[in-house]
Amino acid sequence: MEDRITKAQMYHETAQALLLNGFCEGEWVTLYKHLTQYPLPDEDVEYDLWYWCYVAQPSHSQNLLRNYDADLDWTERSALDINNHFIPHIKVGLESIITVLRFDSGDIHKKQIRVNDDLIFMFYLYEKIEENGDRYYVQFDNGHEKTIIIITEDEVKIRHQYLYDYLASKKLDLFCVIRSELRECLNLNRF
């Protein structure tokens, strides 16, 4: 297997770089990223990288840190309970900061990425939508636009100071999860 993939792929260096940089690129923090390559060029290997964040009340943080598995998936947000009551947060003490909604029905495969509405309302952000579907949440200051949140098909970023202010004002802790996988795809036609 090591003959067909690079050392960087084998040792998950993309995921390691995210960890080493504290999920920051300059003044931006990555809240969600999904990188997929099926298969890698000229190889029978698939590569998947998922990275997402969620927030938790500090009273839950110690317990959450005891387990390396994600406590909240990027698709989990709200639900209806057995009595048909709306529950805004599906797990007690946890809130999604991003949510990925998938719509799969027959030949239809679509997805939408949403940020927590509190971010939009707290910072009074205007949504700009590009032709390709990318969304930018901006603030207006004396006639000038300042981009605060960027949402593309496979990534969500927020300015560091705004994330910090959000977490401090809501008194929440940020949890980040990385899942990096390499899978060998056995091509039986080669034998």
Side-chain angles (χ1 to χ4, degrees), residues 168-182:
S169 67
K170 292 190 72 172
K171 296 177 177 56
L172 295 171
D173 293 335
L174 181 69
F175 284 79
C176 303
V177 179
I178 293 180
R179 194 168 86 201
S180 181
E181 297 177 359
L182 286 169

Side-chain angles (χ1 to χ4, degrees), residues 28-80:
W28 294 95
V29 177
T30 304
L31 298 176
Y32 168 81
K33 185 178 192 83
H34 184 206
L35 173 65
T36 304
Q37 293 176 322
Y38 291 111
L40 292 170
D42 302 320
E43 300 173 11
D44 293 332
V45 176
E46 298 174 344
Y47 176 71
D48 279 312
L49 172 73
W50 294 270
Y51 166 78
W52 70 98
C53 296
Y54 54 92
V55 293
Q57 296 170 358
S59 60
H60 290 74
S61 295
Q62 285 299 320
N63 197 35
L64 298 174
L65 289 172
R66 291 187 178 131
N67 183 357
Y68 64 86
D69 291 327
D71 297 286
L72 191 67
D73 196 53
W74 66 80
T75 59
E76 295 178 305
R77 170 78 180 158
S78 56
L80 292 175

Side-chain angles (χ1 to χ4, degrees), residues 60-190:
H60 290 74
S61 295
Q62 285 299 320
N63 197 35
L64 298 174
L65 289 172
R66 291 187 178 131
N67 183 357
Y68 64 86
D69 291 327
D71 297 286
L72 191 67
D73 196 53
W74 66 80
T75 59
E76 295 178 305
R77 170 78 180 158
S78 56
L80 292 175
D81 70 9
I82 197 163
N83 297 318
N84 207 29
H85 293 116
F86 179 74
I87 303 168
H89 306 293
I90 200 164
K91 294 184 179 173
V92 175
L94 303 178
E95 292 181 32
S96 57
I97 198 164
I98 61 96
T99 307
V100 179
L101 303 169
R102 294 199 175 278
F103 303 92
D104 296 317
S105 176
D107 291 340
I108 298 172
H109 302 286
K110 298 192 179 279
K111 83 174 175 185
Q112 288 180 340
I113 302 173
R114 303 277 184 189
V115 294
N116 190 313
D117 285 343
D118 290 348
L119 287 165
I120 296 166
F121 294 117
M122 182 180 292
F123 300 114
Y124 199 66
L125 301 178
Y126 175 77
E127 181 183 51
K128 291 174 58 175
I129 302 173
E130 301 288 322
E131 285 184 29
N132 65 358
D134 291 353
R135 285 178 286 145
Y136 299 85
Y137 289 91
V138 301
Q139 278 184 337
F140 298 106
D141 184 22
N142 292 328
H144 299 285
E145 288 184 12
K146 181 177 182 180
T147 302
I148 309 303
I149 299 172
I150 301 171
I151 301 176
T152 64
E153 181 180 350
D154 295 315
E155 190 170 44
V156 178
K157 292 183 177 190
I158 185 172
R159 287 190 187 269
H160 183 266
Q161 185 62 50
Y162 289 81
L163 177 61
Y164 180 82
D165 292 346
Y166 169 80
L167 295 171
S169 67
K170 292 190 72 172
K171 296 177 177 56
L172 295 171
D173 293 335
L174 181 69
F175 284 79
C176 303
V177 179
I178 293 180
R179 194 168 86 201
S180 181
E181 297 177 359
L182 286 169
R183 289 183 298 279
E184 187 170 14
C185 307
L186 185 59
N187 184 349
L188 297 177
N189 293 330
R190 294 184 329 169

Side-chain angles (χ1 to χ4, degrees), residues 6-25 33 35 47-51 176-182:
T6 67
K7 181 179 175 184
Q9 293 163 339
M10 182 67 165
Y11 292 104
H12 304 274
E13 290 180 3
T14 302
Q16 288 185 40
L18 276 169
L19 288 167
L20 290 173
N21 291 331
F23 310 106
C24 296
E25 293 177 45
K33 185 178 192 83
L35 173 65
Y47 176 71
D48 279 312
L49 172 73
W50 294 270
Y51 166 78
C176 303
V177 179
I178 293 180
R179 194 168 86 201
S180 181
E181 297 177 359
L182 286 169

